[in-house]
Amino acid sequence: MTKSIVCLHTLSPRQQELIREAAPGYSLMLGNGKDPDLAMLAEAEIVIGWGKGISDTLLKPESPLRWVQTWSAGVEKLPLDAMKHKGILLTNASGVHAEPIAAVIFGFMLLFTRNLHTAVRNQLNRRWHSEGNESELTGKTAVIAGTGAIGSETARIAKAFRMKTVGVSRSGKPVDGFDEIYTTGQLQDAVGQGDFVINTLPLTEETQQLFDAEIFSACKQGSYYINIGRGATTHTEALMEALNSGHLAGAGLDVFETEPLPQEHPLWGMEQVVITPHCAGATDRYADRLVDIFIENMKSYLNSGTPARNLVDYSRRY
């Protein structure tokens, strides 16, 4: 009997062909995460993506589901405890986002050092003006919380700007591209070095509102905060207090505790804040990279029964 792979995202004909070539003996069915076909999902051994309202079907005792490959790096919205209990393998999209998100991080840093965010506003008002306080990245220090694919790619590019790179991770183990590594417990010491403090962390019980008033007060006077990880890792009120007091010179924010960010939210009116609508990881190459990960994992799954790349540790939630 043919086994079933269901993908809940759009795939090009070439991407479909690559998956079918990597998965002999499996049928590939295309579904819609926003309007899922529950009968189709009920037969799936492997699901690519996720959607609302599918948990009950996929987690039934008789469900053949064995492996879920998410379309995102974050997995906090999935029913992790139930999936762990059922023994479902879970892999995420870590690595897909490194290049586009690193570009957004440097976009924020270059905006702030060269005052390009104010230049755009001045242009709208036909105003020829500069505050005269432009700077540069050379010689600056980037403190990067999270030394995974995104953090490592950011550190690699920072070296091209001749910046110092300080990493913060759970383990504190050395990672290529970083001059120093601190543990998460040493975050307060680490952020004091940064001209830019960059948050690339996933949302877990350990990182929930990790960046709070205590951490922001430990930041260097006049430094900048960038968050492209998860909004709930940051205490928004504490961030705004640090910005309003001038302790932080500015912030580049792609993620927020509440999304979409409400129109009446004070962050919209802060000229020292640059906001993007949770799109830092978006790229026209996203699906190609995700399919590459899936194919690599499919080959490992067929050989050993376990995907080799991006296997989520349920105890850590990433």
Side-chain angles (χ1 to χ4, degrees):
M1 180 173 136
T2 303
K3 299 177 180 180
S4 173
I5 301 170
V6 174
C7 180
L8 296 173
H9 291 265
T10 301
L11 296 173
S12 70
R14 177 56 180 162
Q15 290 160 354
Q16 295 175 47
E17 180 184 355
L18 289 171
I19 290 175
R20 290 190 175 102
E21 289 176 354
Y26 284 80
S27 65
L28 174 63
M29 310 294 288
L30 300 181
N32 183 343
K34 294 181 179 179
D35 184 21
D37 183 331
L38 297 181
M40 181 192 299
L41 287 166
E43 303 298 322
E45 177 182 327
I46 301 168
V47 171
I48 304 173
W50 196 258
K52 291 183 179 180
I54 68 175
S55 297
D56 289 346
T57 298
L58 291 177
L59 296 174
K60 286 180 178 178
E62 64 272 22
S63 168
L65 182 65
R66 178 74 183 119
W67 167 28
V68 173
Q69 167 68 60
T70 68
W71 203 259
S72 62
V75 297
E76 69 274 3
K77 294 182 180 179
L78 274 66
L80 299 179
D81 291 336
M83 293 173 72
K84 178 182 179 182
H85 179 74
K86 199 171 186 298
I88 295 169
L89 299 164
L90 176 62
T91 53
N92 66 17
S94 179
V96 170
H97 312 81
E99 287 85 354
I101 289 183
V104 171
I105 290 169
F106 278 92
F108 284 142
M109 291 200 289
L110 290 167
L111 280 172
F112 289 131
T113 53
R114 303 307 304 164
N115 287 335
L116 297 178
H117 57 311
T118 57
V120 170
R121 294 189 182 103
N122 286 336
Q123 180 179 349
L124 292 173
N125 294 311
R126 300 174 182 259
R127 185 185 183 213
W128 183 278
H129 178 73
S130 168
E131 295 293 339
N133 60 350
E134 286 78 13
S135 185
E136 56 189 73
L137 295 181
T138 303
K140 297 288 196 305
T141 296
V143 175
I144 305 169
T147 59
I150 296 168
S152 294
E153 177 68 2
T154 302
R156 184 188 70 82
I157 297 172
K159 285 302 176 186
F161 283 96
R162 298 190 293 280
M163 299 179 73
K164 179 181 177 181
T165 53
V166 176
V168 180
S169 70
R170 199 169 187 262
S171 68
K173 293 179 181 178
V175 178
D176 289 345
F178 290 93
D179 297 308
E180 300 175 19
I181 300 282
Y182 288 73
T183 65
T184 307
Q186 298 170 310
L187 178 62
Q188 193 168 346
D189 295 327
V191 298
Q193 299 186 47
D195 298 290
F196 296 91
V197 175
I198 302 162
N199 178 357
T200 75
L201 296 173
L203 180 61
T204 67
E205 291 181 2
E206 294 177 350
T207 64
Q208 180 89 25
Q209 297 206 331
L210 178 64
F211 284 85
D212 57 12
E214 186 176 22
I215 295 300
F216 289 128
S217 66
C219 290
K220 182 189 291 188
Q221 175 73 36
S223 59
Y224 295 89
Y225 178 65
I226 294 171
N227 188 8
I228 54 75
R230 284 292 184 265
T233 61
T234 299
H235 190 293
T236 304
E237 292 298 324
L239 172 61
M240 291 193 297
E241 288 175 10
L243 289 164
N244 285 326
S245 71
H247 186 72
L248 290 179
L253 305 174
D254 184 60
V255 291
F256 304 87
E257 289 185 88
T258 301
E259 295 182 356
L261 186 67
Q263 289 188 347
E264 67 277 9
H265 201 284
L267 281 170
W268 286 113
M270 293 185 175
E271 293 192 356
Q272 73 274 46
V273 174
V274 177
I275 291 171
T276 52
H278 201 151
C279 63
T283 170
D284 55 0
R285 299 180 62 186
Y286 195 104
D288 284 337
R289 290 181 177 140
L290 193 286
V291 169
D292 286 344
I293 290 173
F294 179 79
I295 289 172
E296 180 180 339
N297 277 336
M298 190 72 215
K299 292 176 180 178
S300 174
Y301 180 78
L302 291 174
N303 289 332
S304 67
T306 304
R309 184 173 173 187
N310 293 356
L311 189 63
V312 171
D313 182 337
Y314 281 109
S315 66
R316 294 186 177 184
R317 293 330 206 216
Y318 65 89

